[in-house]
Amino acid sequence: MLSRPLKRAARLGFWLGATFCVSTALLVLALRWIDPPSSAVIFAWELQSGREAHHQWRPLERISPNLQMAVVAAEDQKFPQHFGFDFASMQKALSEDRRRVRGASTITQQTAKNLFLWHGRSYVRKGLEAWFTLLMEVLWPKERILEVYLNIAEFGEGIYGAQAASKNFYGTSAQYLNRWQAGRMAAVLPNPKRMSAKYPSSYVRSRAATINRQVRQLGGYGYLSWL
């Protein structure tokens, strides 16, 4: 039998865990309808740089379908079908002798990490990422996940979200991005600090062409029409 101190510690642990689960679930549920003004990653960048990030929220219907499909084709082609995790891609990434952390992360996982968590690799952070990923998949429709992702993703140094990136790179609204502009923006997502959608290298242009080809192979915007 457990001693009295151990019983008290177990009860405390239970209530702390229950409080965490309920509070985070309520937070995620509220964000189904409330647009987050910032994110953990944006806040961390502003704190470290001492500058204000470029960030403007836009609802999904005011973000070009070209960009919506480009990021799905580039980052997570199984986004409409999976429940937050692409286990086949994760297994492939683990079996290959190179780093493919980004390639194994779904859009939902990336949104959870960028919105709630910090940069780094630890079991605690990965566990929290998995928890928030599950909450988002249960409590949000896929359209909301994609909307939040497109509004907080980093497209350049201090440039977050589709609207700020569109204005900065092309002088236009996210609503009017053409497929080539969208392809270049999606192409830099793995490393937006080193790659530029505004001044694309030959690699970025080639990657954008590949993304646009994959968009066509997926069936264009109709691929997301049932979300």
Side-chain angles (χ1 to χ4, degrees):
M1 295 181 64
L2 294 175
S3 64
R4 184 170 296 178
L6 285 177
K7 288 181 178 179
R8 284 200 295 265
R11 282 197 297 268
L12 178 61
F14 171 80
W15 285 112
L16 287 175
T19 300
F20 171 79
C21 291
V22 171
S23 60
T24 52
L26 290 174
L27 171 63
V28 173
L29 181 61
L31 291 175
R32 174 171 177 162
W33 297 284
I34 300 171
D35 298 333
S38 186
S39 73
V41 167
I42 295 174
F43 178 75
W45 183 88
E46 290 180 330
L47 194 64
Q48 293 169 3
S49 67
R51 296 154 53 195
E52 184 177 354
H54 297 277
H55 177 239
Q56 295 174 280
W57 185 274
R58 284 296 183 274
L60 191 63
E61 60 269 19
R62 293 181 61 189
I63 298 175
S64 170
N66 290 314
L67 184 61
Q68 295 181 41
M69 267 307 301
V71 298
V72 169
E75 297 289 284
D76 184 6
Q77 294 187 8
K78 297 179 183 177
F79 176 67
Q81 291 92 28
H82 66 61
F83 196 70
F85 304 94
D86 184 352
F87 293 106
S89 294
M90 292 168 66
Q91 182 62 40
K92 184 178 180 181
L94 290 172
S95 65
E96 292 181 355
D97 188 23
R98 59 191 178 96
R99 294 183 179 180
R100 290 193 60 223
V101 176
R102 183 78 176 198
S105 294
T106 66
I107 283 176
T108 315
Q109 288 175 281
Q110 292 178 44
T111 305
K113 178 188 68 177
N114 292 340
L115 184 58
F116 298 110
L117 304 174
W118 62 93
H119 285 304
R121 297 179 183 177
S122 68
Y123 290 115
V124 171
R125 196 196 67 81
K126 291 301 291 184
L128 289 172
E129 178 187 303
W131 171 246
F132 281 109
T133 296
L134 286 172
L135 286 179
M136 288 162 55
E137 286 284 346
V138 170
L139 299 174
W140 294 1
K142 289 284 189 177
E143 295 99 318
R144 182 57 170 172
I145 296 171
L146 185 60
E147 180 179 52
V148 174
Y149 173 78
L150 287 169
N151 274 285
I152 64 174
E154 183 180 15
F155 288 96
E157 181 68 32
I159 301 171
Y160 296 87
Q163 177 66 11
S166 301
K167 286 289 188 181
N168 187 280
F169 301 154
Y170 306 120
T172 189
S173 170
Q175 188 173 2
Y176 303 115
L177 289 168
N178 63 41
R179 64 190 182 95
W180 295 109
Q181 293 167 334
R184 290 176 180 181
M185 286 174 60
V188 305
L189 284 171
N191 198 337
K193 289 184 172 65
R194 296 187 62 182
M195 295 186 284
S196 172
K198 187 175 184 179
Y199 305 108
S201 64
S202 58
Y203 170 79
V204 170
R205 290 194 296 270
S206 174
R207 176 65 179 142
T210 299
I211 290 169
N212 285 326
R213 184 169 63 252
Q214 291 172 332
V215 168
R216 292 193 298 271
Q217 291 170 348
L218 289 170
Y221 187 61
Y223 187 65
L224 300 179
S225 62
W226 60 275
L227 289 183

